[in-house]
Amino acid sequence: MTDIRELVLTADRELFTEHDLSTLDRNFAADYVEHSPLVANGKDGLRELVTGAGDRLRHDVARVLVDEEKGLVALHGAYPGLDPDTVYVGFDIYRVADGKIVEHWDGLVEQTPPNASGRTQLDGPTDVDGTVDSEASRAFVEKAWSRFLQGQDYAAAGEFTRADDRFAQHSGDIADGVQNMVDFLEQLKADGSALTYDTLHRSVADGNFVLTYSEGSIAGERHFFCELWRIEDGAWVELWDAIGPVAPDDELAHPHGAFASTADAS
């Protein structure tokens, strides 16, 4: 049985840090589908990206989530060298089937300074608690996502967070604390720039961590939303995110779309 965690970590390291293009033939399927707006479809798109970026490119992985149930592996990290002037930070989701990487999505944003609580986009706990039931975590987060984020029922925050307001926030615009998150979202809503969540396309659940990958809009502009939630004693206690606009021509550049899955289509 394929160890999908080791497969993805090996392929990711060989490709983006060691620049070993032979990994494309060894670890990626012949009909590999690429959904990232930064990369042309197929293995040739990855080959062009790595060759064009040069020796400075690497991928510093901070967190790894393995969702055996769905054949998904999510990586949370930074890409120094992907752009000569900018470090990109965010999430990669790989789908594995029959011992090969068959599909990839990402959500990357520019690296920002620490927030008002001194937290960065990547610091904080990294170890998955394998004693926590992944499916229970997924069900909890998807329920909370539906009501709190999609439903914009910000008053319901207390139902999904700790009573002592202990909440570690890694978003660059928001300080720690549940109330700070609620106040920020309420202010955006009042200003006509609410985060509007339309569709939850996939979740990656591993123990006490759940990554949600969804789409929607901000002030009428289409956006992707990648949010990684850490669960403790049945409550949200920590959040990392990467939120950014989706290019209007994405559907044309990537026939499968930024969010769709070939697995869903088959």
Side-chain angles (χ1 to χ4, degrees):
M1 183 177 179
T2 302
D3 182 339
I4 63 174
R5 184 184 198 275
E6 186 58 30
L7 169 66
V8 168
L9 283 176
T10 297
D12 179 85
R13 183 190 70 252
E14 289 179 344
L15 184 61
F16 294 113
T17 299
E18 299 173 1
H19 310 151
D20 179 0
L21 298 178
S22 69
T23 196
L24 292 169
D25 294 322
R26 286 183 282 106
N27 294 311
F28 290 75
D31 57 352
Y32 166 77
V33 176
E34 176 61 68
H35 295 275
S36 171
L38 302 175
V39 191
N41 191 30
K43 294 193 290 185
D44 284 345
L46 289 174
R47 187 175 287 108
E48 293 167 4
L49 177 75
V50 172
T51 301
D55 294 340
R56 293 176 299 178
L57 173 64
R58 71 176 193 270
H59 189 195
D60 298 334
V61 177
R63 289 172 189 82
V64 183
L65 277 63
V66 181
D67 194 326
E68 295 280 358
E69 180 73 17
K70 297 179 178 292
L72 299 175
V73 177
L75 306 181
H76 184 204
Y79 282 98
L82 185 60
D83 182 279
D85 302 314
T86 303
V87 175
Y88 283 94
V89 176
F91 302 89
D92 295 271
I93 301 175
Y94 291 92
R95 186 170 70 85
V96 177
D98 299 324
K100 299 286 186 180
I101 296 171
V102 296
E103 202 161 8
H104 169 260
W105 303 262
D106 66 19
L108 301 178
V109 296
E110 294 185 8
Q111 187 177 58
T112 60
N115 64 17
S117 296
R119 300 189 190 276
T120 72
Q121 291 156 292
L122 289 174
D123 66 355
T126 59
D127 293 337
V128 171
D129 183 351
T131 68
V132 177
D133 183 87
S134 299
E135 291 309 315
S137 293
R138 190 199 313 277
F140 170 78
V141 167
E142 290 187 357
K143 177 183 177 181
W145 180 93
S146 177
R147 182 169 176 188
F148 180 72
L149 292 178
Q150 186 180 44
Q152 297 181 12
D153 185 0
Y154 303 138
E159 298 181 24
F160 307 109
T161 56
R162 294 170 56 99
D164 60 8
D165 196 48
R166 182 165 66 83
F167 188 87
Q169 174 66 255
H170 295 267
S171 174
D173 299 321
I174 312 173
D176 283 357
V178 177
Q179 194 58 51
N180 285 324
M181 177 173 63
V182 169
D183 290 346
F184 180 82
L185 293 171
E186 290 281 16
Q187 187 61 55
L188 289 178
K189 191 174 181 179
D191 293 342
S193 300
L195 275 63
T196 301
Y197 290 75
D198 295 329
T199 307
L200 175 58
H201 287 283
R202 56 193 50 84
S203 58
V204 183
D206 190 0
N208 58 326
F209 284 90
V210 179
L211 171 66
T212 54
Y213 181 59
S214 57
E215 72 171 301
S217 62
I218 301 176
E221 183 181 6
R222 191 175 177 222
H223 276 66
F224 68 82
F225 301 96
C226 290
E227 280 134 340
L228 176 61
W229 303 89
R230 186 169 69 85
I231 312 302
E232 189 176 283
D233 299 326
W236 277 343
V237 295
E238 195 156 10
L239 170 66
W240 299 261
D241 65 22
I243 298 172
V246 178
D249 61 349
D250 175 74
E251 298 293 339
L252 298 176
H254 295 80
H256 297 288
F259 304 99
S261 172
T262 57
D264 298 335
S266 59

